Every structure is written in structure tokens, then in C-alpha cells.
Amino acid sequence: MTSVGTNMDLHTALADAEARYAEANPQSGAAFESARKHMPGGNTRTVLYFPPFPLTLVSGEGCYVTDIDGHRYIDTLSEQTAGLYGHSDPVIEAAVIDALKQGVMLGGPSGREAILADLMCSRFPALDKVRFVNSGTEANLYSVATARAVTGRSALMAFEGSYHGGVLSFGGGASPLNVPFPMVMAPFNDTGRTLDLIEAHAEELAAVIMEPMVGGGGCIRATDEFVRAVREATQRHGIMLIFDEVMTSRLAPGGLHSVLGVTPDLLALGKYLGGGLSFGAFGGRADLMDRFDPTTPDAFVHAGTFNNNVLSMAAGIAGLRDVLTPAESLRLNADGDRLRNSLINLLAQRGVPGTVTGYGSMMMLQLADGDYQRAADTARVPVEARALCQLEMIARGIYVSRRNMFNLSLPMSDTEFDQIVAAFDTFLEEHAQLLRETCNR
Ligand SMILES: Cc1ncc(COP(=O)(O)O)c(C=O)c1O
């Protein structure tokens, strides 16, 4: 086995990195094999699988995770943005323990859900009223279902490369598991073609659903022109505009829509807003959400055993009220912008083609030249380059997702940013030549 990749091609360098990874992580390998007995691929969450096997993580503290083989990593996967508070925030921990001691499964309103609703509606301009669910997927499904019910139309427009949950997944084509809504697919950030499609399907479209920055699909922000044009066209045709801010609400105190200055009709939320516990929420215009008011005739029914579960509510309140203050949100996202610029500078200094897309505390490495306006642009990056980067960063003590998305968490400080930058620099230094050869297209 060799450890210096200078004269290797990408394929050989990846095989070498995989071999070193397997050797360094025997207990994760064994845990993976044993998990395969009763779970397909040893897995209950596809996004966490990568070959040869994922790390089994046994604990987390601050912005660090520790695996079953005893390695400690700076966590930049950060639970796909849900880990904004890190793994052990003391304020959230105290709130959860306190709620636990007061009893779970109460079977009535506990008062906590009203507090969290107040906090969220004061934060996010698009939220007049809100309802809670258990995941971002559910938040989007209820948003779309609401739009279909209020408009009496059936079709949904979504954008190529977007992800709104396992049954509303549009990366690399639609998933066969998607809910069977009539779909109109449009190219993200292509204003002309999107407006044409809206005009052509205006009579059928109940809603247009959009991540204002495509997250897992590439960390590509909607342009101001695009988002404003879609808002104007949807308004004109009575089509509901749904913003899926399950990830991006972390990008500013009032969510990304507050930065874009565009207010959707409905907003789907989730991830970190549950303070690290299962969570989702959908809300928006009062006249739409009031259709759920059970004190009115013919109200829509929206139930869900765990919608107001006391642990998620308590953790969500503590997080939003006491930890993620507007000042902390601004600080975190400014740190993200600085880190992204540092990584971009390293690519330039090492002469490696590519960039880092994103905004604030969410970013994705793109190891190939391009302007990255559309989610499909990320397909230019060779999958083996993403795999190599991930395994080489893990070997350097930085836990990185296979898609090379880096998400910041509040406990991260300059100490961690410096280590991330240093690890990335040695990765580039070691592999600059082969990355130049294979990613220059
Ligand atoms: C933009 C977006 N919407 C929805 C979801 C689904 O959320 P959940 O995994 O909580 O169902 C995700 C999850 O990654 C997401 O990134």
C-alpha cells in the first residue's frame, strides 16, 4: 500500500485511500457487517452509506464526534445541517432533562408548542401561523397537500436537483418512491424556461416548491432575479409558492427568504429547529393556515401523535430562544463565509480546478471548473474526486460527507476552522496533480 498520491491516477488514489480507511477502522467495518443481517445494506438512512462502509459514531461532544475505533473528528457533516447546536449544548440538554422529568406522552397541549410557535413566527417573516410535524419530509408533504386543497389544482412544480424529503426527491431524476403527484420539472435558476413552464401549466399548478438555496443538491443559491420572477408569476396565477427552508432557515436570523426579500405563501421547516430532536414544521399565510383551525366548520384535519412531543418542543424552545440568538446566527454565517473563502483561496493557490459553492454556514466543494448556477452543474465533479476528498479528510481528523458538503455548528471556533483549512491544504497538496488532470473539464 502506498500513501503518497502524487503520481497516481484518481482511481488508484481512491483505492489506496479506501484501503487505508478500512485498515484504520476495523471496528466500524465489523459493525457494518453485523448491521447487514437485518437491515438492507446495514442501513436505515441511505445518505449515510458510503463505500467501503460508514464510520460507526458512538458519541459526540461540542462539534466533535468519536467513532467506535476511538478516533475523534471535527464534525463538518453536522447531521446534514440539523446539528447546528453541536452535540451537547448545555442549555438544550438542561431543557430536555427538565421536560423528561416532568413526564412524556401527556396527550394534551403542554403549552410548549405555543411558545415555540411564537418564537418561530417572530423570527421568520413568512410565518403568520405554524403547525408542527416530525420531519422535514412531512413538513413539505403537508405544505404541498395544503396548496392542493386550497387551490383545487393537482400539479406541483419542483426544480431539477432539489430534495424535499425521501418521497419528494429530484436529484438525478425523480425517485421511483416519490409521491404520485402530477409533476412539472423546471431548471433551477433558469428564469426564462421556468416562467415559460409556469405559463404553460398555470391552470394545473397548485404549487411551486423551491429550496431558496439548493442544499444537498449543490449549495446553489437562487439568484435574486430568479426568485423574484417566480414569486411574481405564481402570485399572478394564484399558484402557491412554497419555500423549503428545512436547511436554509439557518442562513440568517429570519431564514434565507428574509435575505432574498421574497415571502412565500407557505414555508417548510425542520432540522435544527427541533434543537437536535425529531422535528418539522409548516406554516405561512394566516388565511391558509386558518383552514386548519378545528374550531371552524370543515377545517382540514392534521393530526400526528408526536407533533407536540414535549422533548422536541422543549429542545426547540431552548435552542431558538436562548442559544441561536440573531447575533449568534449572524456570527455563524459570517464564519461560514470566511471558511468558504479560505477554501476557495486554497484551490486557487494549489492550482486545483474547482470552487466552493454556498452561502453562510452551508457550503459544498466542487472539484471541477464551472459557474455552478444549476444543480445539474455539480454532476461535472467526478464521483471519485468527492470520495477521495471525503476519505482523505477523515484520515486527517475531519468528518466530511460523501457529497463534500461542509456545515458549520455553533461550537466551532477558529481552532477548528484552522484545522479544517490545514487538512484541506494537505489533501490538495498531496493530490493536486491528479485533481488537475481529472477535474479540469
Ligand atoms: C431541503 C430539505 N428538505 C427536506 C428534507 C427532509 O427532512 P427530513 O430528513 O427531516 O425528513 C431535507 C433533508 O435533508 C432537506 O435537505
Side-chain angles (χ1 to χ4, degrees), residues 45 47 79-82 134-140 162-166 168 209-211 213-217 244-248 268-271 278-280 362 403 405:
R45 198 174 157 202
V47 71
E79 198 53 291
Q80 317 288 352
T81 72
N134 292 282
S135 68
T137 304
E138 245 188 299
N140 282 310
S162 298
Y163 181 78
H164 306 290
L168 284 166
I209 188 167
M210 177 196 294
E211 294 174 81
M213 177 170 89
V214 172
D244 174 355
E245 290 227 50
V246 167
M247 280 187 168
T248 58
L269 298 163
K271 300 237 187 243
S278 309
F279 185 78
M362 291 164 55
R403 56 166 71 128
M405 183 176 179

Side-chain angles (χ1 to χ4, degrees), residues 107-125:
S110 76
R112 292 187 183 91
E113 57 269 55
I115 297 172
L116 186 54
D118 282 351
L119 285 167
M120 286 172 53
C121 291
S122 325
R123 255 320 156 89
F124 301 113

Side-chain angles (χ1 to χ4, degrees), residues 23-45:
E23 193 174 58
N25 296 289
Q27 296 203 57
S28 280
F32 173 68
E33 282 310 320
S34 128
R36 295 179 81 164
K37 190 166 172 215
H38 289 124
M39 288 195 297
N43 177 275
T44 187
R45 198 174 157 202

